[in-house]
Structures are given as structure tokens and as C-alpha cells.
Amino acid sequence: MTLRERLKATIPLELAGARLDQALSKMFPDYSRSRIQQWIRSGHAAVDGRQLRPKDPVNGGERVEIEVVSEPDERWGPEAMAVEIIHEDDALLIVDKPAGLVVHPGAGNPKGTLVNALLHHTSALSAIPRAGIVHRLDKDTSGLLVVAKTLSAHKKLVDLLAAREVQREYETVVLGDLRRDLSLDGAIGRHPTRRTRMAVVHDGRVAKTYVQVVHRYSGLTHLRVRLETGRTHQIRVHLAHAGHPVVGDRSYGGSGKRPGGLDPELADMVAGFPRQALHAARLSLMHPLTGKRATWTSPLPEDIETLLRTANECSRKGQSRQKPDSKQG
């Protein structure tokens, strides 16, 4: 489905002497400069009825008419799949993604992804870059994602993410007793020898993660985590580097063997936990249409809830065994 929209405006006199693409970028900030350049080159932008080049200067006072055109990306097709959409309006969708669902088609996952499900739900997303998805979650991370439904909403959401004005809060369960809140800022880049993984490295990209202790159990800790940056595997890498890998995270040391020091029942559950116990629980941003902050939340999924209930029960059992016998003597 090709998206078409017509924009009309007069170039302000204060932009006299500017390149055409620069002037139009200032006049229509909802669209990126590269996209505006594309429209100029393809003949979809007219200045007083004439076709100009992106670098041609403007005088101010000219009448501009742009036919906004976005062709569909035909690499991905729609598939009828269940997807939980907790909010939808003219600008965006908020999706609550289950664990196990890949976000984008790719090598090894040509179909059956969130993108395929979204294209079935709203065919117009085929004309939005990356089907409107502006950030992603790992396959085995559950929780909230925002999806842009229009080009202007996409541009605004990308800008908000770049300016670190999208607040993303996660809940997770990690190995070990973490006794205080943490601020983690190790730079993240490719692992020096395991290239499919990330690591804290001296020449990596800046990454900041804020960790708050929700509850400590015997050998496990429930955390609330807030991202300031959005590096690949950031939470998992930072927590593993701090010595507290996420339960179920086979890539970064959170499972695969039965951890010592835990109640046997809990140790078995941790060893067999099928995915990283990480959930995107809260998403907050300035809405592209209203300019007001909007917030959405998602409850913990049943697998993490069960893990926490078991941890609580095992901690209670351990505490009761440690109490002195009141019937001594």
C-alpha cells in the first residue's frame, strides 16, 4: 500500500539563501532531510511549479508543494498471527510482545515474526521504515514495544529515542544477592572472541543502566532496571559484568547448569528456565500527536511470576529452618 499525502506551504523569507533541502527540512520537521531529498530528486517537490535540485538556493516567498510518497517494502509479507496490542491510535501502536517471538524477519527467521503479524493487522505499515518499529526487544525478552503508523510519527519517535527521551523500564530476576541499587556505565561493544555476543570493552559505545533492588531472595534478586541508552543486550551484558547474570540467560552465564547455594527446587527451576527472565514492563514517551507524555505498563508474565513465587517460598522455608527451636531444655 503506497502512502500519499500533499504538503503545501510558502518558504519563509528568513530562509532566503538556504539550500532547498535545508529549507524544506526546517519547514517540515516531521520528515527527515534524507527523505525530503529523495522526494525532490524524484520530482515530488515543486517550487512555484518548477522542479529544482536539493542544493539549489531559495529566495523566500516561493510556493512549495510536496507529494509525500512512501512505497511499500515488499520484502516482508503479512501473516495472520495473534499479537497483543494494548493501545492504538492514528499515530502509533503499543504492542505487548511475548517471549519467543522474533521482532524482524532475518536469516533463520524469514517469517513468523512480529513484523509479519503487524503487516496483517495494518497493511499501511509496509510503507513505514522497518514496518514502523523504532526499537526492538530480543526474541526471548517479553514486554512493550512502540510502533509508528505514519512517517511523521516515525520521525518523531526516532528523534525522541536519539534524545533519550523515551523512558524504558524493565523487570528482571538475577543470580546472587544484590544488596544495593547500582548505576552501571561500562561501554559495550562486540565480544573480542565470541562475535555473536556483546561485552563491556574499553572501546565500546557509551551505555548507562540504572538498577533498583525490588526484593532479595535467598540466592536471587528481583530488580527494576531503567535504560538511558539502548545498546544491544545492554541489560544482560551490564548485569553479567556486575556478577549478577539474568536468570535463564544462556549467552551471559545465567543458566545451563544447576547453581549452588539455592534450595534444590529453586535450583532446578533456575537451571531449566527456558529464556532470560527479562520483561519490558513500562514505556513512557511524548505522544507524537498530542505532545503530552503517555505511559503504558505490562504485568509480569506467568513464567517470571512463578519463578518469584518459588523463590519466595524457598526463602521462607530457609528462614524457618534457621530459627532456633523454642522447645529446647
Side-chain angles (χ1 to χ4, degrees), residues 168-220:
R168 290 169 288 168
E169 191 174 278
Y170 295 71
E171 290 193 47
T172 187
V173 185
V174 300
L175 294 176
D177 294 320
L178 184 56
R179 299 189 172 274
R180 62 184 179 86
D181 297 348
L182 297 174
S183 177
L184 305 174
D185 59 4
I188 291 177
R190 287 288 171 190
H191 192 285
T193 57
R194 299 178 177 179
R195 303 304 293 174
T196 60
R197 302 184 186 181
M198 310 302 287
V200 172
V201 291
H202 73 278
D203 58 346
R205 301 176 69 187
V206 171
K208 293 186 179 180
T209 307
Y210 302 100
V211 178
Q212 177 186 2
V213 174
V214 177
H215 194 86
R216 291 195 308 273
Y217 302 97
S218 180
L220 298 181

Side-chain angles (χ1 to χ4, degrees), residues 50-67:
R50 297 180 296 124
Q51 303 296 322
L52 301 180
R53 297 170 298 178
K55 67 179 182 180
D56 288 338
V58 298
N59 298 316
E62 300 100 323
R63 185 67 176 168
V64 175
E65 188 170 326
I66 302 175
E67 184 183 17

